[in-house]
Amino acid sequence: MTEWFLFLCFLEPSSKLLFQTKMLSLPRFRVAAFISLILINSSLKAESAIGVNWGTLSFHKLKPTTVVDLLKENKVQKVKLFDADPDALKALMGSGIQVMVGISNDMLATLSSSTMASDLWVRQNVSRYIVKGGVDIRYVAVGNEPFLSSYAGQYESYVMPALLNLQQSLAKANLAGYVKLVVPCNADAYESTLPSQGAFRPELTQIITQIVSFLNSNGSPFVVNIYPFLSLYANADFPQEYAFFEGTTHSITDGPNVYYNAFDGNFDTLVAALSKLGYGQMPIVIGEVGWPTDGAIGANLTAARVFNQGLINHVLSNKGTPLRPGVPPVDIYLFSLLDEGAKSVLPGNFERHWGIFSFDGQAKYALNLGSGNRFLKNARNVQYLPSRWCVANPSTDLSEVTNHMKLACSVADCTTLNYGGSCNAIGAKGNISYAFNSYYQLQMQNSQSCDFDGLGMVTFLDPSVGDCRFVVGLTDVSSSSHRPNCRWLILWFLILWGFWVFAA
């Protein structure tokens, strides 16, 4: 009876009444089949929504409860996590927000080779939270863009076995009919010169066919990440207006179809690629899409607002695309909710500036998510450090400051100082002050961290200039911001212990 109760927790009131009435009149052997019917019917009625990605690679990390309050305040009904962080999941309990939890690529090998590992992962990260008043986990993302061309096939052999093991583990937990496995793919998994000619990369055709067949048989959508900004960033000849939704003089004609924006063209390239495999009607979810606000030419507040608002309006209009008229993506997860100042900048300095909110939960620009609020609402009750900053001491010789700046920026985030960044034009002393302050705030305003051999000084006057914001750190930083994850050490111990017992 326990698994029936778990499913009942997440049904709509009308479905609950129907469930209770029917269950009492059905033989026990037919109850499981009826549960599946109710769940399928419920999912078909689910409305498309604008969700967000909640990444946590930040030096100044908001408390998870503050983030969940921010989601609720902005009526965000769906959130995608890149892991199964227990602090985030505990904060999401009872929120009613639908959740996609993630499994990182480096965990795929273990999960693909051991059902013990997949059983334990599901128990620790899924079934323990799906209880009355718990977390509404709808998806598990198995890997994150595991077929990215730059990985050179590193994870390809692990994805399908991991899917099979995890599906078996969900079935053991009586959750296979409710929690769906998905594999978020980058748009570089498919290619073409025109959308109608879309096809998966030749070396991926076999594995993608297996995965799509698996997803289809289990009622899961295809999840893809689409980034028109990256097309613009990587190609100087890419027509800028084609990246947006405001109309373009660089439309693409593909037979009877005309494409006026890169998003629709990319989406239909995937539709065509799926059609070639025999799955042209497969539901598609956009796992990541967005526009950064800093760190590169073209990454700014105005462009981000225009792109994201245009995307939201386009999707919620239900116009669909030329190959899927009237059928927009099932859901879209904006990338991302918050800036992440600790992310790798290997792809570009813009990587730390995708948030529609800054690191402290303050809206960067006016954006209507189509959820009832006119514009974004800021996080409430954010606790900041005192209003003081570390700047270059104007009375000292700054000629020997280079090494100090390198030290500060090797630890803190100085990406806005680079070409195209919002702080690029504040002058040499401004650059020094920005670097010093970034380090000072990261050290929780420790007085010694503003010394820099006498080159720095503390000020109580905000040195921010125009769009260049000198931040003040947070006092309510999550205690787990830089805490190592020991759960997988425990997992490995249990696996080795199990093999030892079996061998004995």
Side-chain angles (χ1 to χ4, degrees), residues 335-348:
F335 191 83
S336 63
L337 179 66
L338 303 164
D339 279 352
E340 297 178 80
K343 281 192 72 176
S344 168
V345 294
L346 188 60

Side-chain angles (χ1 to χ4, degrees), residues 229 232 240 243-246 290-311 353 355-356 363-367 420 422 467:
F229 169 80
L232 184 63
Q240 180 170 330
F244 297 89
F245 299 86
E246 308 295 302
W291 200 278
T293 58
D294 214 328
I297 295 295
N300 55 67
L301 296 172
T302 300
R305 182 191 62 78
V306 171
F307 176 84
N308 282 329
Q309 194 63 71
L311 172 73
H353 305 281
I356 57 177
K364 295 183 185 178
Y365 47 84
L367 187 67
S422 61
D467 291 334

Side-chain angles (χ1 to χ4, degrees), residues 133-359:
V135 185
D136 189 2
I137 298 175
R138 297 294 182 98
Y139 296 109
V140 173
V142 182
N144 184 38
E145 300 183 341
F147 306 119
L148 199 65
S149 57
S150 60
Y151 292 148
Q154 180 180 352
Y155 304 108
E156 285 180 23
S157 63
Y158 303 133
V159 178
M160 197 65 222
L163 282 170
L164 294 173
N165 284 347
L166 287 163
Q167 185 69 18
Q168 182 180 347
S169 298
L170 287 172
K172 290 178 184 177
N174 296 306
L175 293 173
Y178 189 77
V179 179
K180 302 299 182 182
L181 300 177
V182 295
V183 182
C185 290
N186 188 279
D188 83 338
Y190 47 89
E191 54 195 8
S192 76
T193 53
L194 291 173
S196 63
Q197 299 172 4
F200 289 100
R201 298 199 323 258
E203 70 273 20
L204 295 179
T205 301
Q206 182 177 359
I207 181 65
I208 292 291
T209 301
Q210 294 173 354
I211 289 172
V212 169
S213 176
F214 171 88
L215 297 175
N216 183 69
S217 64
N218 289 286
S220 297
F222 191 97
V223 177
V224 64
N225 302 337
I226 296 177
Y227 283 106
F229 169 80
L230 295 182
S231 299
L232 184 63
Y233 178 77
N235 184 1
D237 296 326
F238 189 89
Q240 180 170 330
E241 58 187 26
Y242 186 65
F244 297 89
F245 299 86
E246 308 295 302
T248 178
T249 58
H250 296 84
S251 60
I252 292 178
T253 300
D254 183 6
N257 300 322
V258 181
Y259 291 88
Y260 297 97
N261 64 79
F263 178 84
D264 283 357
N266 198 310
F267 186 89
D268 274 2
T269 303
L270 172 59
V271 172
L274 289 170
S275 296
K276 286 181 172 62
L277 302 184
Y279 297 93
Q281 302 304 313
M282 189 170 194
I284 296 173
V285 166
I286 307 301
E288 298 177 25
V289 62
W291 200 278
T293 58
D294 214 328
I297 295 295
N300 55 67
L301 296 172
T302 300
R305 182 191 62 78
V306 171
F307 176 84
N308 282 329
Q309 194 63 71
L311 172 73
I312 292 168
N313 295 346
H314 180 61
V315 171
L316 295 183
S317 71
N318 292 321
K319 291 179 181 178
T321 61
L323 293 186
R324 285 194 175 178
V327 185
V330 176
D331 292 312
I332 283 186
Y333 293 86
L334 293 178
F335 191 83
S336 63
L337 179 66
L338 303 164
D339 279 352
E340 297 178 80
K343 281 192 72 176
S344 168
V345 294
L346 188 60
N349 292 318
F350 55 81
E351 275 298 315
R352 296 178 175 178
H353 305 281
W354 290 96
I356 57 177
F357 293 92
S358 52
F359 73 93

Side-chain angles (χ1 to χ4, degrees), residues 70-181:
L70 178 65
L71 294 170
K72 292 165 66 176
E73 185 74 15
N74 286 281
K75 301 181 181 179
V76 175
Q77 295 299 310
K78 297 174 187 264
V79 66
K80 177 170 167 277
L81 307 177
F82 291 93
D83 51 22
D85 179 67
D87 293 333
L89 289 170
K90 287 175 185 175
L92 284 162
M93 293 185 73
S95 67
I97 298 171
Q98 296 179 13
V99 179
M100 181 188 299
V101 295
I103 295 174
S104 62
N105 291 331
D106 58 6
M107 293 165 60
L108 295 178
T110 300
L111 293 171
S112 69
S113 61
S114 168
T115 54
M116 183 183 296
S118 64
D119 288 348
L120 183 56
W121 192 91
V122 168
R123 284 199 301 272
Q124 283 192 331
N125 302 295
V126 181
S127 55
R128 71 181 293 188
Y129 295 106
I130 301 184
V131 295
K132 185 178 181 181
V135 185
D136 189 2
I137 298 175
R138 297 294 182 98
Y139 296 109
V140 173
V142 182
N144 184 38
E145 300 183 341
F147 306 119
L148 199 65
S149 57
S150 60
Y151 292 148
Q154 180 180 352
Y155 304 108
E156 285 180 23
S157 63
Y158 303 133
V159 178
M160 197 65 222
L163 282 170
L164 294 173
N165 284 347
L166 287 163
Q167 185 69 18
Q168 182 180 347
S169 298
L170 287 172
K172 290 178 184 177
N174 296 306
L175 293 173
Y178 189 77
V179 179
K180 302 299 182 182
L181 300 177

